[in-house]
Each structure stands twice: as C-alpha cells, then as structure tokens.
Amino acid sequence: SLSLQGKTYVIMGVANKRSIAWGIAQSLDKAGANIIFTYAGERFEKSVRDLVATLEGKHELVLPCDVTNDEDVEKCFSTIGQEVGKIDGLAHCIAFAKTEELAGNFSDTSREGFLLAHNISAFSLTVVAKAAKPLMTEGGSIVTLTYLGGEKVVPNYNIMGVAKASLEMSVRYLAADLGKHNIRVNAISAGPIRTLSSKGVSDFNSVLKEIEERAPLRRNTTPEEVGDTALFLFSQLSRGITGETIHCDSGFHIL
Ligand code: 0WD
C-alpha cells in the first residue's frame, strides 16, 4: 500500500468519529503520515484529542482554528510553521449552513444564512490555502470536500448547494494560482454519508436509500473510501492532477 512516511498533513474538520475528516485521518495514519489536526472550537477539543489517541502514529499537534476568524487562522498556521516548519498538504473538511435553510423553499434563504454558508463552506478554503501556502515549501496538495448538490439541484440541499458551487470554482481558481508553486488543489465530491452535518439536511434517509437502489455500485459511500481517495490525491500518484473534482460516490453522479 501507499506510503506517506515523512510527510506532514493538516486535517481540518474532525468533529467526531463519523466525520469524513476522520476517514481521511485513518487513511493517512495507516500510510505513516504525520498529521496535524485542527478543530472548530473548544467544545470539540476533547473528542478530537480522544480520537487522535486511538491512531497508530503519534500525532501531537491538535490546534483550534475557527475559519471565520482571520486571526485564528493566522495564529494556527504560524504555530504549525514554528512546530513543524514544512507541510505537504491540507484536508479542508468544513461546511456549515443553518438547519432551517436545509429544508423548504430555496427562495426563503436569508441574506445572513447565505453569507454564513459561503463564509464557512466556501471562503474558508481560500483563507486556509493562503495561510498554508508559505508552509508548502516543497509543493503540496490541498483537498476539499464537496457534494453533487453543488452541480445539480438536489432537494433540500438549497443554500449549501450554492456554497458548494462557489467552493468548486474556488478550487479551480486556487489551482490556477498556486500551480506555479507546485501546489495542487482538488475536490472530492463524496456520496452522502451519515454525519453530524448531514443530519441537518431534511429527509437525508431517503437520499441514502436512493443511492443503494440506483447508484452503479448499489451501495453507499463510506468515509474510508473518501479517505483513500484523499490518500491518492495527497500522494505522488496524483502528481499530474489539479483543479479537479473527483467523484467518490458509487458512480451516482453519472445518472
Ligand atoms: O453526506 C455528507 N456527509 C457529505 C459531506 C457529502 C459530501 C460532502 N460533505 C462535506 C461537507 O459539506 C463538509 O464540507 O464533507 C465535509 C465534512 O462534513 P461531515 O464529515 O459530513 O460533517 P461533520 O463531521 O459535522 O464535520 C463538519 C465540520 C464541523 O462540524 P459541525 O458538526 O460543528 O458543523 O466542519 C467544521 C466542524 O468541525 N466546522 C468548522 N471548522 C472551523 N471553523 C467551522 C468553523 N467556523 N464550522 C464548522
């Protein structure tokens, strides 16, 4: 299997053991990578630290980073710079929208809800890419997570779909910008997975059921599958790929 021994990656967005970010952490840990974890706020610190302790590798840096706060982001990455010097990549696994706007009419989206979803779910990629860039002195790979609802209208995904479209286009502009520094930027469009965030999407169970019945592979996507796709994007095997959105969704997007 693939080895990332001697490489260092930042994983942002582990909330609990169901988080897709945790699937990525497990794949990178198995590959022997050194991992730095960032969490959203104090209420996540203990659960993230407890989870990290279950991994094989000794991953000592677990830092707070609220992506809505420029100072927090700067502080977090300057600490990472001081502690490890160089990083090889970053997994951005962060999104948020108001639960009441993940149901009902899209036309009822509020200005505040629109801006909040874009701030946390889309702009955050650009702000962390900027902060991480000086640490990727030997090139790097940035991976973010998106969903089909950013390409096609998916019932109830609403404002998050519009934010994902912004995120996916941000991936392309960042790839064009950072390519000259040998930094690659890609997205994984994951099939629906039951997590803390997806609980907020109204009628999520019927979305999962439809995948089992209709997706080419006739089964739902797992965090482990997304983790291994991220492992590929972090490895040299994907060195020719940037600005891409890879679907890891049992093939559902082709229907
Ligand atoms: O079906 C799914 N679960 C899919 C998720 C399908 C396709 C894509 N995705 C995406 C999500 O949109 C998101 O970008 O995967 C990413 C990770 O989501 P997840 O693993 O489904 O959900 P979760 O475990 O809740 O992690 C998202 C985390 C937050 O958790 P909460 O539960 O608090 O929203 O995003 C982080 C936080 O850890 N987060 C923040 N991090 C830093 N600063 C912030 C913030 N301001 N807000 C949320």
mmCIF file of all heavy atoms in Angstrom, residues 12-16 18-21 38-41 43-44 65-68 92-96 120-121 144-148 157 160 164 167 188-198 204, ligand 1:
data_model
loop_
_atom_site.group_PDB
_atom_site.id
_atom_site.type_symbol
_atom_site.label_atom_id
_atom_site.label_comp_id
_atom_site.label_asym_id
_atom_site.label_seq_id
_atom_site.Cartn_x
_atom_site.Cartn_y
_atom_site.Cartn_z
ATOM 1 N N MET A 12 -8.417 19.472 8.757
ATOM 2 C CA MET A 12 -9.332 20.415 9.402
ATOM 3 C C MET A 12 -10.755 19.874 9.310
ATOM 4 O O MET A 12 -11.203 19.520 8.224
ATOM 5 C CB MET A 12 -9.279 21.772 8.689
ATOM 6 C CG MET A 12 -7.879 22.272 8.400
ATOM 7 S SD MET A 12 -7.850 23.922 7.659
ATOM 8 C CE MET A 12 -8.213 24.945 9.101
ATOM 9 N N GLY A 13 -11.453 19.799 10.454
ATOM 10 C CA GLY A 13 -12.875 19.439 10.410
ATOM 11 C C GLY A 13 -13.261 18.104 11.000
ATOM 12 O O GLY A 13 -14.338 17.593 10.706
ATOM 13 N N VAL A 14 -12.396 17.526 11.847
ATOM 14 C CA VAL A 14 -12.864 16.351 12.595
ATOM 15 C C VAL A 14 -13.779 16.862 13.699
ATOM 16 O O VAL A 14 -13.373 17.694 14.513
ATOM 17 C CB VAL A 14 -11.702 15.543 13.226
ATOM 18 C CG1 VAL A 14 -12.254 14.400 14.091
ATOM 19 C CG2 VAL A 14 -10.764 14.986 12.169
ATOM 20 N N ALA A 15 -15.032 16.416 13.715
ATOM 21 C CA ALA A 15 -15.943 16.761 14.810
ATOM 22 C C ALA A 15 -16.129 15.536 15.700
ATOM 23 O O ALA A 15 -16.140 15.630 16.923
ATOM 24 C CB ALA A 15 -17.276 17.251 14.263
ATOM 25 N N ASN A 16 -16.266 14.366 15.099
ATOM 26 C CA ASN A 16 -16.418 13.121 15.854
ATOM 27 C C ASN A 16 -16.014 11.940 14.963
ATOM 28 O O ASN A 16 -15.538 12.143 13.850
ATOM 29 C CB ASN A 16 -17.853 12.968 16.380
ATOM 30 C CG ASN A 16 -18.865 12.996 15.240
ATOM 31 O OD1 ASN A 16 -18.624 12.433 14.175
ATOM 32 N ND2 ASN A 16 -19.971 13.670 15.446
ATOM 33 N N ARG A 18 -17.616 9.910 13.221
ATOM 34 C CA ARG A 18 -18.341 9.773 11.961
ATOM 35 C C ARG A 18 -17.894 10.781 10.904
ATOM 36 O O ARG A 18 -18.273 10.671 9.738
ATOM 37 C CB ARG A 18 -19.841 9.995 12.188
ATOM 38 C CG ARG A 18 -20.527 8.883 12.931
ATOM 39 C CD ARG A 18 -22.015 9.248 13.068
ATOM 40 N NE ARG A 18 -22.749 8.251 13.800
ATOM 41 C CZ ARG A 18 -23.271 7.158 13.240
ATOM 42 N NH1 ARG A 18 -23.138 6.953 11.953
ATOM 43 N NH2 ARG A 18 -23.932 6.288 13.969
ATOM 44 N N SER A 19 -17.118 11.775 11.304
ATOM 45 C CA SER A 19 -16.697 12.820 10.366
ATOM 46 C C SER A 19 -15.924 12.225 9.193
ATOM 47 O O SER A 19 -15.094 11.334 9.367
ATOM 48 C CB SER A 19 -15.770 13.825 11.058
ATOM 49 O OG SER A 19 -16.453 14.522 12.078
ATOM 50 N N ILE A 20 -16.177 12.764 7.993
ATOM 51 C CA ILE A 20 -15.414 12.317 6.829
ATOM 52 C C ILE A 20 -13.928 12.620 7.050
ATOM 53 O O ILE A 20 -13.062 11.836 6.661
ATOM 54 C CB ILE A 20 -15.945 12.986 5.542
ATOM 55 C CG1 ILE A 20 -17.424 12.610 5.341
ATOM 56 C CG2 ILE A 20 -15.114 12.555 4.340
ATOM 57 C CD1 ILE A 20 -18.082 13.294 4.154
ATOM 58 N N ALA A 21 -13.654 13.729 7.715
ATOM 59 C CA ALA A 21 -12.264 14.078 8.044
ATOM 60 C C ALA A 21 -11.586 12.952 8.821
ATOM 61 O O ALA A 21 -10.375 12.730 8.690
ATOM 62 C CB ALA A 21 -12.219 15.376 8.852
ATOM 63 N N THR A 38 -6.888 20.233 13.250
ATOM 64 C CA THR A 38 -7.476 21.467 13.764
ATOM 65 C C THR A 38 -8.968 21.232 13.990
ATOM 66 O O THR A 38 -9.614 20.489 13.256
ATOM 67 C CB THR A 38 -7.280 22.680 12.818
ATOM 68 O OG1 THR A 38 -8.209 22.608 11.739
ATOM 69 C CG2 THR A 38 -5.851 22.771 12.293
ATOM 70 N N TYR A 39 -9.491 21.866 15.030
ATOM 71 C CA TYR A 39 -10.907 21.727 15.359
ATOM 72 C C TYR A 39 -11.540 23.113 15.469
ATOM 73 O O TYR A 39 -10.847 24.118 15.672
ATOM 74 C CB TYR A 39 -11.100 20.920 16.654
ATOM 75 C CG TYR A 39 -10.326 21.479 17.830
ATOM 76 C CD1 TYR A 39 -10.895 22.444 18.659
ATOM 77 C CD2 TYR A 39 -9.014 21.075 18.075
ATOM 78 C CE1 TYR A 39 -10.180 22.981 19.714
ATOM 79 C CE2 TYR A 39 -8.293 21.603 19.124
ATOM 80 C CZ TYR A 39 -8.886 22.561 19.939
ATOM 81 O OH TYR A 39 -8.182 23.098 20.983
ATOM 82 N N ALA A 40 -12.888 23.127 15.337
ATOM 83 C CA ALA A 40 -13.612 24.396 15.192
ATOM 84 C C ALA A 40 -13.640 25.241 16.466
ATOM 85 O O ALA A 40 -13.494 26.449 16.431
ATOM 86 C CB ALA A 40 -15.022 24.119 14.726
ATOM 87 N N GLY A 41 -13.862 24.615 17.592
ATOM 88 C CA GLY A 41 -13.989 25.392 18.826
ATOM 89 C C GLY A 41 -13.797 24.490 20.024
ATOM 90 O O GLY A 41 -13.721 23.260 19.875
ATOM 91 N N ARG A 43 -15.550 23.179 22.224
ATOM 92 C CA ARG A 43 -16.409 22.028 22.505
ATOM 93 C C ARG A 43 -15.962 20.764 21.763
ATOM 94 O O ARG A 43 -16.379 19.657 22.099
ATOM 95 C CB ARG A 43 -17.883 22.345 22.239
ATOM 96 C CG ARG A 43 -18.239 22.536 20.795
ATOM 97 C CD ARG A 43 -19.611 23.212 20.644
ATOM 98 N NE ARG A 43 -19.819 23.606 19.274
ATOM 99 C CZ ARG A 43 -20.544 22.912 18.411
ATOM 100 N NH1 ARG A 43 -21.145 21.816 18.784
ATOM 101 N NH2 ARG A 43 -20.679 23.330 17.170
ATOM 102 N N PHE A 44 -15.075 20.902 20.754
ATOM 103 C CA PHE A 44 -14.602 19.724 20.028
ATOM 104 C C PHE A 44 -13.257 19.212 20.529
ATOM 105 O O PHE A 44 -12.837 18.118 20.178
ATOM 106 C CB PHE A 44 -14.463 20.035 18.534
ATOM 107 C CG PHE A 44 -15.772 20.279 17.852
ATOM 108 C CD1 PHE A 44 -16.146 21.559 17.472
ATOM 109 C CD2 PHE A 44 -16.642 19.226 17.611
ATOM 110 C CE1 PHE A 44 -17.362 21.784 16.849
ATOM 111 C CE2 PHE A 44 -17.859 19.439 16.988
ATOM 112 C CZ PHE A 44 -18.224 20.725 16.609
ATOM 113 N N CYS A 65 -8.949 26.125 15.393
ATOM 114 C CA CYS A 65 -8.953 27.012 14.235
ATOM 115 C C CYS A 65 -10.381 27.238 13.759
ATOM 116 O O CYS A 65 -10.973 26.389 13.096
ATOM 117 C CB CYS A 65 -8.107 26.426 13.104
ATOM 118 S SG CYS A 65 -7.943 27.551 11.715
ATOM 119 N N ASP A 66 -10.936 28.377 14.148
ATOM 120 C CA ASP A 66 -12.261 28.765 13.648
ATOM 121 C C ASP A 66 -12.029 29.518 12.342
ATOM 122 O O ASP A 66 -11.460 30.608 12.337
ATOM 123 C CB ASP A 66 -12.954 29.644 14.690
ATOM 124 C CG ASP A 66 -14.289 30.190 14.190
ATOM 125 O OD1 ASP A 66 -14.629 29.983 13.008
ATOM 126 O OD2 ASP A 66 -14.991 30.843 14.994
ATOM 127 N N VAL A 67 -12.496 28.932 11.244
ATOM 128 C CA VAL A 67 -12.171 29.509 9.922
ATOM 129 C C VAL A 67 -12.900 30.821 9.627
ATOM 130 O O VAL A 67 -12.615 31.463 8.625
ATOM 131 C CB VAL A 67 -12.429 28.505 8.779
ATOM 132 C CG1 VAL A 67 -11.457 27.338 8.856
ATOM 133 C CG2 VAL A 67 -13.876 28.038 8.750
ATOM 134 N N THR A 68 -13.825 31.217 10.489
ATOM 135 C CA THR A 68 -14.483 32.513 10.270
ATOM 136 C C THR A 68 -13.651 33.664 10.845
ATOM 137 O O THR A 68 -14.006 34.820 10.690
ATOM 138 C CB THR A 68 -15.889 32.567 10.913
ATOM 139 O OG1 THR A 68 -15.750 32.383 12.325
ATOM 140 C CG2 THR A 68 -16.800 31.507 10.332
ATOM 141 N N HIS A 92 -9.350 20.046 3.828
ATOM 142 C CA HIS A 92 -10.362 21.007 4.289
ATOM 143 C C HIS A 92 -11.702 20.277 4.277
ATOM 144 O O HIS A 92 -12.213 19.931 3.208
ATOM 145 C CB HIS A 92 -10.342 22.202 3.331
ATOM 146 C CG HIS A 92 -11.465 23.177 3.470
ATOM 147 N ND1 HIS A 92 -12.724 22.956 2.941
ATOM 148 C CD2 HIS A 92 -11.531 24.399 4.060
ATOM 149 C CE1 HIS A 92 -13.502 23.999 3.207
ATOM 150 N NE2 HIS A 92 -12.802 24.884 3.885
ATOM 151 N N CYS A 93 -12.242 20.007 5.468
ATOM 152 C CA CYS A 93 -13.461 19.180 5.570
ATOM 153 C C CYS A 93 -14.482 19.942 6.396
ATOM 154 O O CYS A 93 -14.979 19.453 7.420
ATOM 155 C CB CYS A 93 -13.164 17.845 6.232
ATOM 156 S SG CYS A 93 -11.665 17.054 5.626
ATOM 157 N N ILE A 94 -14.774 21.155 5.967
ATOM 158 C CA ILE A 94 -15.528 22.105 6.772
ATOM 159 C C ILE A 94 -16.704 22.659 5.983
ATOM 160 O O ILE A 94 -16.546 23.055 4.824
ATOM 161 C CB ILE A 94 -14.593 23.264 7.190
ATOM 162 C CG1 ILE A 94 -13.520 22.749 8.162
ATOM 163 C CG2 ILE A 94 -15.387 24.415 7.786
ATOM 164 C CD1 ILE A 94 -12.420 23.760 8.427
ATOM 165 N N ALA A 95 -17.866 22.676 6.614
ATOM 166 C CA ALA A 95 -19.033 23.303 6.000
ATOM 167 C C ALA A 95 -20.046 23.623 7.091
ATOM 168 O O ALA A 95 -20.045 22.998 8.155
ATOM 169 C CB ALA A 95 -19.672 22.372 4.976
ATOM 170 N N PHE A 96 -20.873 24.616 6.822
ATOM 171 C CA PHE A 96 -21.961 24.916 7.763
ATOM 172 C C PHE A 96 -23.064 25.709 7.080
ATOM 173 O O PHE A 96 -22.791 26.607 6.287
ATOM 174 C CB PHE A 96 -21.448 25.708 8.975
ATOM 175 C CG PHE A 96 -22.493 25.878 10.038
ATOM 176 C CD1 PHE A 96 -22.775 24.835 10.921
ATOM 177 C CD2 PHE A 96 -23.234 27.057 10.134
ATOM 178 C CE1 PHE A 96 -23.774 24.966 11.883
ATOM 179 C CE2 PHE A 96 -24.231 27.198 11.099
ATOM 180 C CZ PHE A 96 -24.487 26.156 11.976
ATOM 181 N N ILE A 120 -18.275 30.056 5.796
ATOM 182 C CA ILE A 120 -17.687 28.851 6.407
ATOM 183 C C ILE A 120 -17.402 27.764 5.373
ATOM 184 O O ILE A 120 -16.387 27.078 5.456
ATOM 185 C CB ILE A 120 -18.604 28.295 7.519
ATOM 186 C CG1 ILE A 120 -18.785 29.351 8.619
ATOM 187 C CG2 ILE A 120 -18.040 26.990 8.091
ATOM 188 C CD1 ILE A 120 -19.595 28.901 9.806
ATOM 189 N N SER A 121 -18.267 27.609 4.376
ATOM 190 C CA SER A 121 -18.170 26.441 3.491
ATOM 191 C C SER A 121 -17.354 26.705 2.230
ATOM 192 O O SER A 121 -16.880 25.755 1.612
ATOM 193 C CB SER A 121 -19.574 25.984 3.083
ATOM 194 O OG SER A 121 -20.438 25.979 4.199
ATOM 195 N N THR A 144 -10.338 19.385 -0.737
ATOM 196 C CA THR A 144 -11.554 19.795 -0.037
ATOM 197 C C THR A 144 -12.682 18.822 -0.366
ATOM 198 O O THR A 144 -12.541 17.969 -1.248
ATOM 199 C CB THR A 144 -11.947 21.247 -0.385
ATOM 200 O OG1 THR A 144 -13.055 21.648 0.443
ATOM 201 C CG2 THR A 144 -12.341 21.398 -1.846
ATOM 202 N N LEU A 145 -13.786 18.924 0.357
ATOM 203 C CA LEU A 145 -14.915 18.007 0.171
ATOM 204 C C LEU A 145 -16.133 18.751 -0.342
ATOM 205 O O LEU A 145 -16.530 19.781 0.213
ATOM 206 C CB LEU A 145 -15.260 17.333 1.505
ATOM 207 C CG LEU A 145 -14.176 16.414 2.062
ATOM 208 C CD1 LEU A 145 -14.565 15.934 3.458
ATOM 209 C CD2 LEU A 145 -13.945 15.230 1.140
ATOM 210 N N THR A 146 -16.693 18.214 -1.415
ATOM 211 C CA THR A 146 -17.895 18.828 -1.961
ATOM 212 C C THR A 146 -18.971 17.767 -2.179
ATOM 213 O O THR A 146 -18.778 16.606 -1.811
ATOM 214 C CB THR A 146 -17.557 19.611 -3.248
ATOM 215 O OG1 THR A 146 -18.703 20.347 -3.660
ATOM 216 C CG2 THR A 146 -17.100 18.678 -4.377
ATOM 217 N N TYR A 147 -20.094 18.205 -2.732
ATOM 218 C CA TYR A 147 -21.221 17.291 -2.923
ATOM 219 C C TYR A 147 -21.950 17.630 -4.210
ATOM 220 O O TYR A 147 -21.960 18.790 -4.649
ATOM 221 C CB TYR A 147 -22.163 17.398 -1.704
ATOM 222 C CG TYR A 147 -23.384 16.519 -1.792
ATOM 223 C CD1 TYR A 147 -23.254 15.139 -1.928
ATOM 224 C CD2 TYR A 147 -24.669 17.061 -1.747
ATOM 225 C CE1 TYR A 147 -24.378 14.332 -2.016
ATOM 226 C CE2 TYR A 147 -25.796 16.262 -1.830
ATOM 227 C CZ TYR A 147 -25.640 14.897 -1.966
ATOM 228 O OH TYR A 147 -26.749 14.097 -2.060
ATOM 229 N N LEU A 148 -22.554 16.624 -4.798
ATOM 230 C CA LEU A 148 -23.316 16.732 -6.047
ATOM 231 C C LEU A 148 -24.283 17.922 -6.080
ATOM 232 O O LEU A 148 -24.513 18.523 -7.131
ATOM 233 C CB LEU A 148 -24.105 15.420 -6.232
ATOM 234 C CG LEU A 148 -24.863 15.219 -7.535
ATOM 235 C CD1 LEU A 148 -23.909 15.203 -8.721
ATOM 236 C CD2 LEU A 148 -25.663 13.922 -7.467
ATOM 237 N N TYR A 157 -30.993 20.571 -0.284
ATOM 238 C CA TYR A 157 -29.583 20.954 -0.083
ATOM 239 C C TYR A 157 -29.431 22.477 -0.191
ATOM 240 O O TYR A 157 -28.527 23.068 0.407
ATOM 241 C CB TYR A 157 -28.688 20.222 -1.078
ATOM 242 C CG TYR A 157 -27.249 20.102 -0.647
ATOM 243 C CD1 TYR A 157 -26.912 19.459 0.541
ATOM 244 C CD2 TYR A 157 -26.224 20.625 -1.422
ATOM 245 C CE1 TYR A 157 -25.592 19.341 0.941
ATOM 246 C CE2 TYR A 157 -24.893 20.506 -1.032
ATOM 247 C CZ TYR A 157 -24.591 19.867 0.151
ATOM 248 O OH TYR A 157 -23.279 19.759 0.547
ATOM 249 N N MET A 160 -26.601 25.254 0.725
ATOM 250 C CA MET A 160 -25.320 24.548 0.744
ATOM 251 C C MET A 160 -24.886 24.183 -0.676
ATOM 252 O O MET A 160 -23.685 24.175 -0.987
ATOM 253 C CB MET A 160 -25.428 23.303 1.628
ATOM 254 C CG MET A 160 -24.102 22.648 1.899
ATOM 255 S SD MET A 160 -22.880 23.766 2.609
ATOM 256 C CE MET A 160 -23.296 23.594 4.317
ATOM 257 N N LYS A 164 -21.405 25.145 -2.303
ATOM 258 C CA LYS A 164 -20.506 24.125 -2.880
ATOM 259 C C LYS A 164 -20.096 24.502 -4.304
ATOM 260 O O LYS A 164 -18.972 24.218 -4.721
ATOM 261 C CB LYS A 164 -21.161 22.740 -2.857
ATOM 262 C CG LYS A 164 -21.294 22.121 -1.471
ATOM 263 C CD LYS A 164 -19.959 21.958 -0.755
ATOM 264 C CE LYS A 164 -20.093 21.072 0.480
ATOM 265 N NZ LYS A 164 -18.878 21.142 1.338
ATOM 266 N N LEU A 167 -17.404 26.806 -3.800
ATOM 267 C CA LEU A 167 -16.213 26.061 -3.346
ATOM 268 C C LEU A 167 -15.521 25.390 -4.539
ATOM 269 O O LEU A 167 -14.290 25.449 -4.670
ATOM 270 C CB LEU A 167 -16.633 25.009 -2.311
ATOM 271 C CG LEU A 167 -15.516 24.102 -1.789
ATOM 272 C CD1 LEU A 167 -14.590 24.876 -0.848
ATOM 273 C CD2 LEU A 167 -16.092 22.880 -1.063
ATOM 274 N N ILE A 188 -12.941 16.394 -3.611
ATOM 275 C CA ILE A 188 -13.593 15.086 -3.684
ATOM 276 C C ILE A 188 -15.083 15.330 -3.511
ATOM 277 O O ILE A 188 -15.508 15.917 -2.507
ATOM 278 C CB ILE A 188 -13.108 14.132 -2.567
ATOM 279 C CG1 ILE A 188 -11.594 13.915 -2.657
ATOM 280 C CG2 ILE A 188 -13.855 12.804 -2.647
ATOM 281 C CD1 ILE A 188 -11.014 13.168 -1.451
ATOM 282 N N SER A 189 -15.866 14.922 -4.508
ATOM 283 C CA SER A 189 -17.312 15.025 -4.372
ATOM 284 C C SER A 189 -17.799 13.693 -3.826
ATOM 285 O O SER A 189 -17.874 12.684 -4.539
ATOM 286 C CB SER A 189 -17.948 15.343 -5.727
ATOM 287 O OG SER A 189 -19.334 15.573 -5.550
ATOM 288 N N ALA A 190 -18.079 13.684 -2.526
ATOM 289 C CA ALA A 190 -18.424 12.441 -1.827
ATOM 290 C C ALA A 190 -19.917 12.159 -1.934
ATOM 291 O O ALA A 190 -20.740 13.078 -1.937
ATOM 292 C CB ALA A 190 -18.028 12.548 -0.356
ATOM 293 N N GLY A 191 -20.255 10.889 -2.020
ATOM 294 C CA GLY A 191 -21.658 10.496 -1.902
ATOM 295 C C GLY A 191 -22.149 10.807 -0.503
ATOM 296 O O GLY A 191 -21.344 11.076 0.394
ATOM 297 N N PRO A 192 -23.457 10.803 -0.290
ATOM 298 C CA PRO A 192 -23.986 11.133 1.037
ATOM 299 C C PRO A 192 -23.545 10.140 2.109
ATOM 300 O O PRO A 192 -23.551 8.939 1.877
ATOM 301 C CB PRO A 192 -25.504 11.090 0.846
ATOM 302 C CG PRO A 192 -25.743 10.335 -0.400
ATOM 303 C CD PRO A 192 -24.535 10.505 -1.247
ATOM 304 N N ILE A 193 -23.139 10.667 3.244
ATOM 305 C CA ILE A 193 -22.662 9.856 4.374
ATOM 306 C C ILE A 193 -23.316 10.409 5.644
ATOM 307 O O ILE A 193 -23.363 11.631 5.834
ATOM 308 C CB ILE A 193 -21.120 9.948 4.493
ATOM 309 C CG1 ILE A 193 -20.456 9.343 3.250
ATOM 310 C CG2 ILE A 193 -20.631 9.270 5.764
ATOM 311 C CD1 ILE A 193 -18.933 9.529 3.203
ATOM 312 N N ARG A 194 -23.784 9.511 6.498
ATOM 313 C CA ARG A 194 -24.424 9.973 7.729
ATOM 314 C C ARG A 194 -23.391 10.562 8.693
ATOM 315 O O ARG A 194 -22.524 9.840 9.189
ATOM 316 C CB ARG A 194 -25.155 8.792 8.388
ATOM 317 C CG ARG A 194 -26.305 9.179 9.273
ATOM 318 C CD ARG A 194 -26.846 7.981 10.028
ATOM 319 N NE ARG A 194 -27.381 6.942 9.145
ATOM 320 C CZ ARG A 194 -28.589 6.982 8.592
ATOM 321 N NH1 ARG A 194 -29.396 7.980 8.852
ATOM 322 N NH2 ARG A 194 -28.999 6.015 7.795
ATOM 323 N N THR A 195 -23.459 11.849 8.927
ATOM 324 C CA THR A 195 -22.553 12.535 9.867
ATOM 325 C C THR A 195 -23.354 13.597 10.627
ATOM 326 O O THR A 195 -24.533 13.823 10.325
ATOM 327 C CB THR A 195 -21.408 13.282 9.130
ATOM 328 O OG1 THR A 195 -21.991 14.324 8.336
ATOM 329 C CG2 THR A 195 -20.587 12.366 8.241
ATOM 330 N N LEU A 196 -22.672 14.277 11.554
ATOM 331 C CA LEU A 196 -23.304 15.353 12.309
ATOM 332 C C LEU A 196 -23.878 16.406 11.349
ATOM 333 O O LEU A 196 -25.010 16.872 11.507
ATOM 334 C CB LEU A 196 -22.241 15.993 13.204
ATOM 335 C CG LEU A 196 -22.684 16.776 14.433
ATOM 336 C CD1 LEU A 196 -23.535 15.898 15.346
ATOM 337 C CD2 LEU A 196 -21.451 17.265 15.192
ATOM 338 N N SER A 197 -23.108 16.767 10.325
ATOM 339 C CA SER A 197 -23.555 17.806 9.386
ATOM 340 C C SER A 197 -24.717 17.344 8.517
ATOM 341 O O SER A 197 -25.677 18.084 8.308
ATOM 342 C CB SER A 197 -22.414 18.222 8.471
ATOM 343 O OG SER A 197 -21.463 18.925 9.210
ATOM 344 N N SER A 198 -24.628 16.108 7.999
ATOM 345 C CA SER A 198 -25.677 15.668 7.072
ATOM 346 C C SER A 198 -27.006 15.446 7.789
ATOM 347 O O SER A 198 -28.060 15.450 7.161
ATOM 348 C CB SER A 198 -25.245 14.417 6.303
ATOM 349 O OG SER A 198 -25.022 13.339 7.168
ATOM 350 N N PHE A 204 -32.755 13.154 4.780
ATOM 351 C CA PHE A 204 -31.470 12.593 4.348
ATOM 352 C C PHE A 204 -31.543 11.071 4.146
ATOM 353 O O PHE A 204 -30.883 10.517 3.268
ATOM 354 C CB PHE A 204 -30.393 12.949 5.373
ATOM 355 C CG PHE A 204 -29.000 12.628 4.933
ATOM 356 C CD1 PHE A 204 -28.389 13.381 3.942
ATOM 357 C CD2 PHE A 204 -28.290 11.583 5.499
ATOM 358 C CE1 PHE A 204 -27.093 13.097 3.516
ATOM 359 C CE2 PHE A 204 -26.996 11.289 5.090
ATOM 360 C CZ PHE A 204 -26.402 12.044 4.096
HETATM 361 O O1 0WD B 1 -23.028 13.397 3.213
HETATM 362 C C1 0WD B 1 -22.088 14.006 3.699
HETATM 363 N N1 0WD B 1 -21.851 13.958 4.994
HETATM 364 C C2 0WD B 1 -21.199 14.803 2.803
HETATM 365 C C3 0WD B 1 -20.385 15.766 3.323
HETATM 366 C C4 0WD B 1 -21.249 14.532 1.357
HETATM 367 C C5 0WD B 1 -20.342 15.344 0.588
HETATM 368 C C6 0WD B 1 -19.561 16.305 1.163
HETATM 369 N N2 0WD B 1 -19.588 16.515 2.517
HETATM 370 C C7 0WD B 1 -18.735 17.545 3.080
HETATM 371 C C8 0WD B 1 -19.391 18.550 3.987
HETATM 372 O O2 0WD B 1 -20.151 19.503 3.278
HETATM 373 C C9 0WD B 1 -18.167 19.163 4.642
HETATM 374 O O3 0WD B 1 -17.559 20.076 3.751
HETATM 375 O O4 0WD B 1 -17.742 16.971 3.874
HETATM 376 C C10 0WD B 1 -17.250 17.949 4.795
HETATM 377 C C11 0WD B 1 -17.209 17.342 6.189
HETATM 378 O O5 0WD B 1 -18.525 17.124 6.629
HETATM 379 P P1 0WD B 1 -19.013 15.892 7.501
HETATM 380 O O6 0WD B 1 -17.902 14.994 7.795
HETATM 381 O O7 0WD B 1 -20.235 15.366 6.856
HETATM 382 O O8 0WD B 1 -19.576 16.600 8.834
HETATM 383 P P2 0WD B 1 -19.003 16.901 10.309
HETATM 384 O O9 0WD B 1 -18.461 15.687 10.935
HETATM 385 O O10 0WD B 1 -20.118 17.596 11.025
HETATM 386 O O11 0WD B 1 -17.831 17.921 10.057
HETATM 387 C C12 0WD B 1 -18.036 19.240 9.582
HETATM 388 C C13 0WD B 1 -17.271 20.154 10.482
HETATM 389 C C14 0WD B 1 -17.914 20.747 11.711
HETATM 390 O O12 0WD B 1 -18.627 20.032 12.480
HETATM 391 P P3 0WD B 1 -20.061 20.710 12.989
HETATM 392 O O13 0WD B 1 -20.799 19.482 13.303
HETATM 393 O O14 0WD B 1 -19.743 21.570 14.137
HETATM 394 O O15 0WD B 1 -20.701 21.500 11.846
HETATM 395 O O16 0WD B 1 -16.937 21.401 9.929
HETATM 396 C C15 0WD B 1 -16.299 22.100 10.983
HETATM 397 C C16 0WD B 1 -16.710 21.450 12.264
HETATM 398 O O17 0WD B 1 -15.719 20.636 12.786
HETATM 399 N N3 0WD B 1 -16.672 23.486 11.080
HETATM 400 C C17 0WD B 1 -15.762 24.446 11.279
HETATM 401 N N4 0WD B 1 -14.421 24.384 11.365
HETATM 402 C C18 0WD B 1 -13.764 25.529 11.601
HETATM 403 N N5 0WD B 1 -14.375 26.711 11.728
HETATM 404 C C19 0WD B 1 -16.469 25.636 11.399
HETATM 405 C C20 0WD B 1 -15.719 26.808 11.630
HETATM 406 N N6 0WD B 1 -16.287 28.014 11.757
HETATM 407 N N7 0WD B 1 -17.794 25.364 11.260
HETATM 408 C C21 0WD B 1 -17.899 24.051 11.060
#
